[in-house]
Amino acid sequence: MHRLIALAVLLCVACGDKTDPPTHASDAGTEGPATLIVHSDWWDFVAGLGDMQGITVLLGDGSRFRQPLGRDGIARFHDAAITGPQDITVVMVGDGKVWASTTLNVEGTEVWVRSGFGLLGGGFPGSRQATLAGRVTNLSGRPAQVRVVGKGFAGVTNTQGDGTFIIEVWGETAGEVALFVTDNPQQVSAVGLLRDIAVGEGRTTSGLVIPLDHPVDQRLPVEVTNLQPYGALSSVTATFSLGSEYLFTTSTVGATPIEVPAMARTPPFDTVDVRLSATAGSDERIASGRVVANAPLFAKGVTSLALPAPVTLTSPSPGTKAAPGSGPRSGLTLRWSADPAVHSVTIRMIPQQAPELDWYVTAPATVGSFSPFILPAEVSPLRELGAGRYFVQWSSRSLGMGHGYQDLYKEAPSVFEPDSWSSNTYGYSVLQD
């Protein structure tokens, strides 16, 4: 479990002692335009590796094509022989530890291979675009939270005892925002919204009035099916968003019949999107793991949501911490099977002893297998997975209808659609010589 804690640290700490990556001589010429450009954010997630010796991008097994990942997050390849889908491995070398992250079957001449850890976030973006002042009405005797909602904008404050507020809007450019009000961010029971407020150039707008006039007093019925593989339903959550921007969530725990709290979708909440998320199982449930499935939440009637079939890892065989599974170290092939609707499967092999070579692989579910290869000696001092105990994690992701595996590698990050879902399972396995 300490490996999970280490992973969590990676999400919160960026390495502050980064050095320029070494320059590997390319086996191909460097004249003319690049035939393949790889973007990656791995420089943002190297905490825990100590003094970095560099990050290298390999095509295939790296025996012919490899390039350093610049501090700008870009590796450029120049060779006319690089055509068609590529298997791309990013190798990060630190003090006594190496990460190898392989992504299979990536198409395109310019691709974005992300770490999968997401954005770190933090801080208000840009400069102060506006100061907004006004009053929240219909308060119930306690301060309310007022928050700026708008793509690329931020700002938050609490009302005074009389309901008045002053809030600064931060962003890169001028535009329009909404102000969202909630009586209690931890357990929402009433909300309010004021839309279409122009901001920019540090302007000041006063006299805004936001009624806290939408109680979260509705109970919308939900039916979750295909629960059997996961054992039990953990929770059902409704996420309310204005466009792509988050507003708030409500949730319920317990067995069927399930009802989730909601408010009337009357103006100004008539354009709000509501996504239902059902969580079942648990990460350490070896046979099935944990799944989070999504669907649009109907404003009336019953919302039905069918859970996908679990992802199965067959090699190495997984087990519990007390009774780990096993697999051969030499000639190891990772094998899995997944629901046909899955867009990607990720397997993580994390050793529980030194020296540490962690290996991640992300692939289309249809591929079904991957054989870790021997890393080039010029790239990494640790070249292959060692014998011993491993923490093994296997997860899947479906982006929703209208999307596919290659959408994961475009410049604009893929957004989870209302019918998207993901799963996660972990266990332990011992690789033996």
Side-chain angles (χ1 to χ4, degrees):
M1 186 61 70
H2 69 282
R3 297 293 171 189
L4 291 178
I5 297 173
L7 276 176
V9 171
L10 295 173
L11 302 179
C12 303
V13 182
C15 179
D17 189 21
K18 300 172 183 174
T19 59
D20 289 333
T23 301
H24 294 294
S26 171
D27 295 317
T30 57
E31 298 299 325
T35 52
L36 175 63
I37 299 174
V38 178
H39 300 257
S40 181
D41 61 351
W42 270 111
W43 272 114
D44 296 329
F45 299 95
V46 294
L49 288 177
D51 291 333
M52 285 296 297
Q53 298 177 32
I55 302 180
T56 309
V57 180
L58 316 180
L59 303 185
D61 63 4
S63 59
R64 179 175 178 184
F65 301 115
R66 56 180 181 269
Q67 286 291 329
L69 182 70
R71 290 303 302 272
D72 58 358
I74 301 175
R76 293 178 171 86
F77 294 84
H78 300 78
D79 195 300
I82 300 173
T83 60
Q86 298 293 321
D87 296 344
I88 301 173
T89 298
V90 181
V91 181
M92 295 138 281
V93 179
D95 289 337
K97 183 173 181 178
V98 176
W99 279 352
S101 179
T102 300
T103 308
L104 302 180
N105 291 12
V106 182
E107 297 178 357
T109 57
E110 186 170 11
V111 297
W112 283 257
V113 179
R114 299 173 177 87
S115 64
F117 288 136
L119 300 177
L120 286 174
F124 287 141
S127 57
R128 184 172 59 83
Q129 293 294 326
T131 299
L132 307 178
R135 180 188 301 273
V136 175
T137 61
N138 301 342
L139 288 178
S140 57
R142 59 174 294 165
Q145 184 189 83
V146 182
R147 181 160 51 86
V148 174
V149 176
K151 190 173 183 60
F153 293 98
V156 63
T157 191
N158 291 322
T159 61
Q160 300 298 311
D162 60 356
T164 58
F165 68 88
I166 299 175
I167 188 169
E168 293 185 334
V169 180
W170 294 80
E172 295 287 352
T173 61
E176 285 192 346
V177 301
L179 290 180
F180 172 70
V181 182
T182 177
D183 63 335
N184 184 353
Q186 282 70 48
Q187 190 171 356
V188 180
S189 61
V191 293
L193 186 67
L194 184 63
R195 304 188 313 207
D196 305 327
I197 305 170
V199 297
E201 301 177 350
R203 75 180 66 182
T204 298
T205 302
S206 303
L208 301 174
V209 178
I210 312 175
L212 193 64
D213 59 356
H214 275 63
V216 183
D217 57 1
Q218 295 187 352
R219 296 296 180 267
L220 301 180
V222 175
E223 180 183 43
V224 180
T225 58
N226 297 346
L227 261 173
Q228 190 276 331
Y230 302 96
L233 190 66
S234 303
S235 64
V236 175
T237 299
T239 300
F240 298 79
S241 302
L242 183 63
S244 61
E245 302 304 299
Y246 168 83
L247 294 179
F248 71 103
T249 61
T250 64
S251 61
T252 186
V253 178
T256 54
I258 306 160
E259 293 181 329
V260 293
M263 80 291 174
R265 286 184 232 177
T266 54
F269 288 93
D270 52 322
T271 61
V272 166
D273 296 320
V274 189
R275 185 180 71 183
L276 176 72
S277 296
T279 302
S282 61
D283 292 329
E284 66 272 21
R285 187 181 175 90
I286 301 299
S288 58
R290 176 178 61 91
V291 66
V292 180
N294 302 289
L297 180 66
F298 296 156
K300 296 180 179 179
V302 178
T303 300
S304 296
L305 192 159
L307 301 183
V311 174
T312 302
L313 179 69
T314 56
S315 175
S317 63
T320 64
K321 188 173 184 178
S326 63
R329 185 189 72 86
S330 179
L332 172 68
T333 296
L334 306 178
R335 300 185 189 279
W336 62 86
S337 61
D339 189 304
V342 166
H343 288 132
S344 69
V345 171
T346 296
I347 313 293
R348 293 184 172 99
M349 298 287 294
I350 303 173
Q352 304 292 282
Q353 60 281 315
E356 294 188 36
L357 169 56
D358 297 13
W359 205 310
Y360 303 172
V361 57
T362 297
T366 53
V367 170
S369 67
F370 169 73
S371 297
F373 51 86
I374 297 177
L375 297 174
E378 300 87 349
V379 172
S380 172
L382 300 177
R383 302 184 62 195
E384 57 185 322
L385 295 176
R389 177 189 288 257
Y390 283 76
F391 173 83
V392 187
Q393 181 187 37
W394 56 106
S395 57
S396 68
R397 182 179 180 187
S398 175
L399 302 175
M401 291 292 292
H403 292 281
Y405 178 72
Q406 299 303 328
D407 289 337
L408 293 167
Y409 310 110
K410 296 179 179 179
E411 181 176 9
S414 298
V415 177
F416 279 99
E417 298 293 345
D419 60 339
S420 64
W421 52 265
S422 61
S423 70
N424 186 65
T425 314
Y426 67 75
Y428 294 83
S429 189
V430 176
L431 297 187
Q432 303 169 332
D433 284 320

